[in-house]
């Protein structure tokens, strides 16, 4: 077979299919393969007019159809299915070829695969791809890791098919080995927090105002014209305004209140614990999904006493504005925590990730795209080593302007028995990082009492231990 294709895609479910079409629409000849060849044929039959597709019956045919260095994108289910494809594909390749995993792989798997393929002279690129089905087709945000050499060959193609914002592609080389999939993982963790915060804002407006779903949808549509403008706010307005064709009522009212998850939020929280980074908003959002699906516990808990008030909001417009400000401030905390986690992992792994570049490529194509990512990009351009996004002058003022409203909202929710775990934990984090002194001094003293774990003093250097059971003399550790 004549080498025609510039890139190959194996795995033609919706995401793989749309990614292949995106490459073809941009003028690239694309070799396409699927385990069941019927799916390959249907892609060519239905979308062959969009560009040049080279159908391949087997992986060997796919490899034979590619220009060198060969570039093969794997779009199959993460985990064992990805390993199975790699194991079958690798013996067919030659040194210098590039294997791209564009699925939602866990970054330790990507690091393992990259090291194994590097030993065989192959480049392995773990590329996070965000934007869902529409993004894959029309321009996603792409977060590729791997070698600089691989990016030099592959990057221009990815940048061409990525979303474009102000003429800048939403794609850049993130860093070595698992860096791309790591950043995608954190992106998804922020997405969890963002969605939970939006859901809490919706619940506050419903509980506090007794407003209908459609009325709240109009509020979100209005918010989407200001500094909260984002993809998630936009689709929230759409969902809340949708009428269920079966009942004729609000669609959201017939959806079971049990949110599912595929694991990326959980991975984010687990990794943050390993790094010692407090991603409290992401953690609360992940646990909120778990709670929503805990049917036996929720059934047992419905009879628990509430001692909550009957919520009466005297000024509707003021309350709506308070919720808006609290939502904005809480969202900034979620992003700040996510970027702190990226910085910590980058330092530990030696990845050299540019956080400003990550904010820039999230401005379009991805699920968490939002207007204020421009501001985050600018913050890291001003100070690439910014230790806390909240401390950037713009965000310090923007969040500071909403703190009073934030406190009113969280207090009202607590008083009236409405759970707002992400709002409340984000406010607690904000108060924690701005506090001059935290009660951790007592915790460390307790640890020294029961475990002789030592402590440091505020008035001199060194570590110390008090002999609690033997006269309480202090000794230097």
């Amino acid at each position: 077979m004549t080498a025609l294709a510039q890139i190959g895609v194996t795995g033609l479910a919706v995401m793989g299919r749309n990614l292949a079409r995106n490459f073809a629409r941009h003028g690239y000849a694309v070799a396409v393969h699927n385990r069941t060849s019927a799916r390959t044929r249907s892609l060519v039959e239905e979308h062959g007019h969009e560009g040049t597709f080279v159908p391949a019956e087997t992986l060997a045919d796919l490899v034979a159809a590619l220009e060198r260095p060969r570039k093969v994108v794997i779009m199959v289910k993460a985990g064992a299915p990805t390993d199975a494809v790699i194991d079958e594909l690798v013996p067919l390749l030659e040194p210098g070829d590039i294997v791209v995993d564009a699925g939602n792989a866990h970054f330790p798997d990507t690091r393992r695969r990259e090291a194994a393929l590097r030993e065989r002279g192959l480049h392995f690129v773990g590329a996070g791809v965000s934007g869902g089905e529409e993004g894959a087709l029309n321009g996603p945000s792409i977060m590729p890791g791997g070698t600089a050499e691989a990016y030099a060959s592959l990057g221009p193609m990815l940048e061409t098919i990525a979303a474009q914002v102000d003429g800048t592609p939403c794609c850049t080389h993130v860093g070595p080995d698992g860096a791309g999939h790591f950043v995608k993982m954190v992106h998804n963790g922020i997405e969890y927090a963002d969605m939970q915060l939006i859901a809490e804002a919706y619940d506050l407006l419903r509980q506090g105002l007794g407003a209908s779903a459609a009325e709240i949808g109009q509020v979100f549509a209005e918010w989407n014209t200001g500094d909260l403008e984002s993809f998630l706010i936009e689709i929230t307005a759409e969902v809340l305004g949708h009428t269920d064709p079966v009942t004729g009522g609000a669609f959201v009212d017939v959806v079971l209140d049990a949110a599912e998850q595929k694991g990326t939020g959980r991975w984010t929280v687990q990794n943050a614990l390993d790094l010692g980074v407090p991603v409290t908003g992401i953690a609360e959002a992940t646990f909120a999904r778990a709670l929503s699906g805990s049917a036996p516990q929720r059934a047992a808990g419905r009879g628990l006493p509430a001692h909550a008030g009957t919520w009466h909001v005297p000024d509707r417009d003021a309350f709506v504005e308070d919720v808006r400000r609290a939502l904005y401030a809480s969202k900034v905390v979620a992003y700040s925590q996510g970027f702190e986690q990226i910085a910590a992992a980058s330092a530990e792994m030696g990845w050299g990730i540019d956080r400003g570049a990550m904010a820039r490529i999230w401005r379009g194509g991805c699920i968490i795209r939002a207007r204020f990512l421009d501001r985050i990009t600018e913050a890291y351009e001003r100070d690439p080593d910014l230790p806390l996004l909240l401390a950037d002058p713009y965000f310090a003022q923007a969040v500071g302007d909403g703190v009073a409203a934030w406190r009113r909202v969280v207090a009202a929710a607590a008083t009236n028995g409405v759970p707002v775990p992400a709002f409340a934990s984000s406010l607690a984090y904000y108060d924690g990082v701005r506090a001059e002194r935290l009660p951790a001094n007592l915790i460390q003293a307790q640890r020294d009492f029961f475990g002789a774990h030592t402590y440091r003093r505020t008035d001199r250097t060194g570590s110390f231990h008090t002999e609690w059971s033997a006269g309480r003399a202090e000794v230097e550790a």
Side-chain angles (χ1 to χ4, degrees):
M1 184 183 293
T2 305
L4 298 173
Q6 293 145 292
I7 195 158
V9 178
T10 179
L12 301 178
V14 176
M15 286 292 288
R17 184 183 184 95
N18 284 359
L19 205 61
R21 291 173 60 195
N22 191 349
F23 278 116
R25 286 177 171 189
H26 283 88
Y28 296 110
V30 188
V32 288
H33 166 264
N34 195 72
R35 186 170 53 86
T36 54
S37 56
R39 188 168 278 175
T40 307
R41 289 194 298 271
S42 72
L43 169 61
V44 176
E45 288 168 4
E46 294 171 25
H47 303 288
H49 62 280
E50 295 180 340
T52 302
F53 295 100
V54 182
E57 287 287 322
T58 66
L59 278 178
D61 292 341
L62 180 79
V63 170
L66 294 171
E67 296 177 354
R68 295 180 185 173
R70 302 177 183 92
K71 305 173 188 69
V72 182
V73 179
I74 299 172
M75 289 295 287
V76 301
K77 188 176 180 180
T82 299
D83 281 324
V85 173
I86 292 171
D87 289 345
E88 184 180 352
L89 177 65
V90 163
L92 305 171
L93 300 175
E94 297 177 348
D97 289 346
I98 302 169
V99 178
V100 184
D101 175 10
N104 261 341
H106 198 192
F107 79 93
D109 288 339
T110 303
R111 300 192 79 198
R112 168 178 58 80
R113 292 164 181 154
E114 194 276 337
L117 267 65
R118 189 182 341 121
E119 288 185 358
R120 304 185 64 143
L122 300 173
H123 296 285
F124 186 79
V125 173
V129 178
S130 178
E133 300 172 18
E134 182 181 343
L137 180 61
N138 298 316
S141 174
I142 309 178
M143 298 151 256
T147 64
E149 182 183 352
Y151 193 80
S153 177
L154 178 70
M157 300 178 73
L158 297 181
E159 291 178 11
T160 300
I161 69 161
Q164 310 287 317
V165 176
D166 299 330
T168 301
C170 293
C171 173
T172 192
H173 182 221
V174 176
D177 55 74
H181 274 146
F182 180 88
V183 166
K184 175 58 163 56
M185 178 192 76
V186 175
H187 164 284
N188 284 25
I190 294 171
E191 179 185 309
Y192 274 50
D194 211 341
M195 293 173 72
Q196 176 66 24
L197 290 166
I198 289 170
E200 290 178 15
Y202 149 76
D203 199 28
L204 287 163
L205 295 176
R206 194 137 210 197
Q207 304 272 10
L209 301 177
S212 69
E215 289 170 336
I216 300 171
Q218 292 172 355
V219 171
F220 274 90
E222 175 63 29
W223 286 353
N224 198 49
T225 64
D227 54 13
L228 278 173
E229 180 190 350
S230 68
F231 173 72
L232 286 171
I233 296 288
E234 176 188 346
I235 68 168
T236 299
E238 293 279 345
V239 169
L240 292 174
H242 181 54
T243 300
D244 174 44
V246 177
T247 64
F251 166 74
V252 73
D253 289 342
V254 301
V255 177
L256 184 67
D257 60 334
E260 298 178 0
Q261 53 185 308
K262 290 187 175 180
T264 47
R266 184 171 63 249
W267 291 344
T268 306
V269 176
Q270 290 169 337
N271 173 258
L273 289 170
D274 291 338
L275 292 170
V277 177
V279 294
T280 54
I282 297 171
E284 288 292 355
T286 305
F287 289 131
R289 292 196 188 189
L291 177 62
S292 75
S294 300
Q297 291 78 13
R298 291 181 64 193
R302 287 195 181 97
L304 294 174
H307 300 293
T310 301
W311 205 343
H312 171 67
V313 174
D315 187 333
R316 178 190 184 279
D317 291 344
F319 180 70
V320 170
E321 176 61 12
D322 274 0
V323 174
R324 185 193 70 80
R325 287 175 176 266
L327 176 58
Y328 184 82
S330 298
K331 280 164 68 80
V332 173
V333 166
Y335 283 73
S336 181
Q337 292 177 346
F339 278 104
E340 182 185 351
Q341 184 171 357
I342 290 172
S346 180
E348 181 167 298
M349 308 287 185
W351 283 335
I353 298 175
D354 180 345
R355 287 176 292 171
M358 298 308 98
R360 187 166 58 250
I361 67 172
W362 287 350
R363 294 182 304 161
C366 69
I367 303 301
I368 64 171
R369 59 186 183 267
R371 177 188 291 190
F372 76 174
L373 278 160
D374 284 319
R375 298 291 193 176
I376 296 177
T377 303
E378 293 166 4
Y380 287 117
E381 285 175 350
R382 283 190 291 272
D383 182 0
D385 299 319
L386 184 67
L388 180 71
L389 182 62
L390 286 165
D392 174 77
Y394 171 81
F395 286 108
Q397 180 175 341
V399 174
D401 288 346
V403 169
W406 202 0
R407 297 193 192 286
R408 286 192 294 268
V409 166
V410 171
T415 301
N416 292 285
V418 177
V420 287
F423 271 49
S425 68
S426 298
L427 178 58
Y429 174 86
Y430 177 82
D431 283 334
V433 294
R434 67 167 197 82
E436 185 172 340
R437 191 160 168 82
L438 293 169
N441 53 337
L442 176 57
I443 294 171
Q444 195 59 22
Q446 291 170 330
R447 293 181 75 245
D448 187 63
F449 189 105
F450 67 68
H453 291 296
T454 75
Y455 52 87
R456 288 171 292 159
R457 297 179 58 95
T458 60
D459 54 358
R460 60 184 189 272
T461 60
S463 295
F464 301 87
H465 166 60
T466 293
E467 296 177 338
W468 296 99
S469 60
R472 302 199 173 186
E474 182 177 78
V475 296
E476 192 162 0

